[in-house]
Amino acid sequence: MRARFDRLKREGRGGLVTFISAGDPDAETSARILAGLPQAGADIIEIGMPFTDPMADGPAIQASSQRALKNGITLKKTLAMVEAFRRQDQETPIVLMGYYNPIYSFGVPRFLEEAKRAGVDGLIVVDLPPEEDEELCIPALKAGVNFIRLATPTTDDKRLPAVLANTSGFVYYVSIAGITGTRSARDQDITAAIERLRRHTALPIAVGFGIKTAEHAAKVASAADAAVVGSALVDTVAAHLDSDGRAKPDCADAVLKLVGELAAGVRGSVKGGTA
């Protein structure tokens, strides 16, 4: 993870972090999208671990989880996707994002062992606060897996030290209070939030929630270390399904085309500009 952010710094640009749900809309299409993301321009890849009750996610990502679960995706199959990806790409950081329940059911020691072996670089587990670090965060760090914490507009200066204490890899700033994919934060609010976070941490800062266009991604990446795009990509998957919910032949290509457009915007941004 650090090597990727160091490279972005040398290149003088922010990065593009892309989110897809594992197994959405089916295993084959999902694998094609995942395999094509680095060439399309993704610098870091987040893979959602589908869960039946994704409480922090908006309708688009909830629907993507349901499609994946309906098609038989499991945590074990998600790890197998990462392992298959690693046979062609050893460098692009992979972050698994989701909820603690599936990991707990899988067994934390077993999960961390298999995740590390598959090639997972980091975890974002949205429903484990710092007070529960002994559950997964500390074991993950000991296993050599980054534990990436979320900060939000309501995370005040008093709370931030606890949030950041065991965070590694990068800080994910959630730019709105609420669920994913529903609205976008104002540019000036994002800039102020990044400046505040930098007073508390030297870790890279990635900003997500509500970024849908190349222009918006470029603005965010000019101020932060990376822009995170998720709902726009799963919306594109949904828009390329037939009436029976099956992927149309151009589904993967449509998602990768959007990633290419977002990457072009990010790569054309001027580092240190105004978000």
Side-chain angles (χ1 to χ4, degrees):
M1 192 78 67
R2 180 174 179 176
R4 180 51 51 103
F5 280 107
D6 285 346
R7 191 178 100 179
L8 293 173
K9 189 174 182 178
R10 288 194 304 271
E11 294 176 1
R13 67 177 181 88
L16 175 64
V17 182
T18 57
F19 171 94
I20 61 169
S21 289
D24 176 39
D26 57 69
E28 181 181 354
T29 306
S30 184
R32 282 185 59 204
I33 294 169
L34 177 59
L37 285 172
Q39 187 174 356
D43 295 298
I44 297 170
I45 299 170
E46 290 178 7
I47 301 177
M49 300 176 284
F51 179 49
T52 54
D53 188 24
M55 58 189 177
D57 294 309
I61 293 177
Q62 285 188 27
S64 73
S65 282
Q66 293 303 315
R67 290 191 296 267
L69 291 168
K70 183 179 178 181
N71 283 308
I73 194 67
T74 62
L75 188 50
K76 190 167 187 65
K77 289 180 180 178
T78 300
L79 293 172
M81 281 183 64
V82 177
E83 189 173 12
F85 174 84
R86 282 289 177 234
R87 290 195 283 270
Q88 69 166 29
D89 186 317
Q90 296 292 322
E91 295 184 358
T92 305
I94 294 284
V95 176
L96 296 185
M97 185 172 187
Y99 300 82
Y100 184 49
N101 185 277
I103 296 171
Y104 177 80
S105 299
F106 198 87
V108 169
R110 177 188 168 207
F111 169 75
L112 290 174
E113 180 183 354
E114 295 194 17
K116 184 68 176 176
R117 185 169 62 243
V120 172
D121 297 285
L123 300 173
I124 300 173
V125 182
V126 301
D127 55 347
L128 276 183
E131 289 75 17
E132 306 295 334
D133 274 359
E134 293 293 337
E135 289 284 330
L136 180 61
C137 175
I138 301 301
L141 296 176
K142 289 180 178 178
V145 177
N146 287 293
F147 199 87
I148 297 150
R149 191 78 72 184
L150 303 179
T152 74
T154 60
T155 310
D156 60 22
D157 288 337
K158 184 177 179 180
R159 178 66 173 166
L160 267 175
V163 169
L164 298 171
N166 293 311
T167 300
S168 65
F170 63 89
V171 178
Y172 187 150
Y173 179 66
V174 176
S175 61
I176 60 168
I179 56 175
T180 59
T182 52
R183 57 192 178 87
S184 300
R186 295 187 307 167
D187 294 339
Q188 58 266 40
D189 292 340
I190 293 174
T191 300
I194 292 168
E195 290 172 353
R196 184 170 70 92
L197 285 170
R198 292 206 194 282
R199 293 196 292 269
H200 289 267
T201 183
L203 287 170
I205 298 167
V207 175
F209 282 46
I211 300 172
K212 296 181 180 297
T213 67
E215 180 184 14
H216 193 193
K219 287 181 178 180
V220 169
S222 70
D225 296 290
V228 186
V229 181
S231 294
L233 301 183
V234 298
D235 277 341
T236 302
V237 171
H240 289 79
L241 303 178
D242 65 20
S243 58
D244 294 319
R246 292 189 293 262
K248 295 179 181 178
D250 63 344
C251 182
D253 290 340
V255 174
L256 296 174
K257 180 176 181 290
L258 176 56
V259 172
E261 293 168 357
L262 293 163
V266 167
R267 289 164 195 254
S269 64
V270 178
K271 198 64 185 152
T274 303

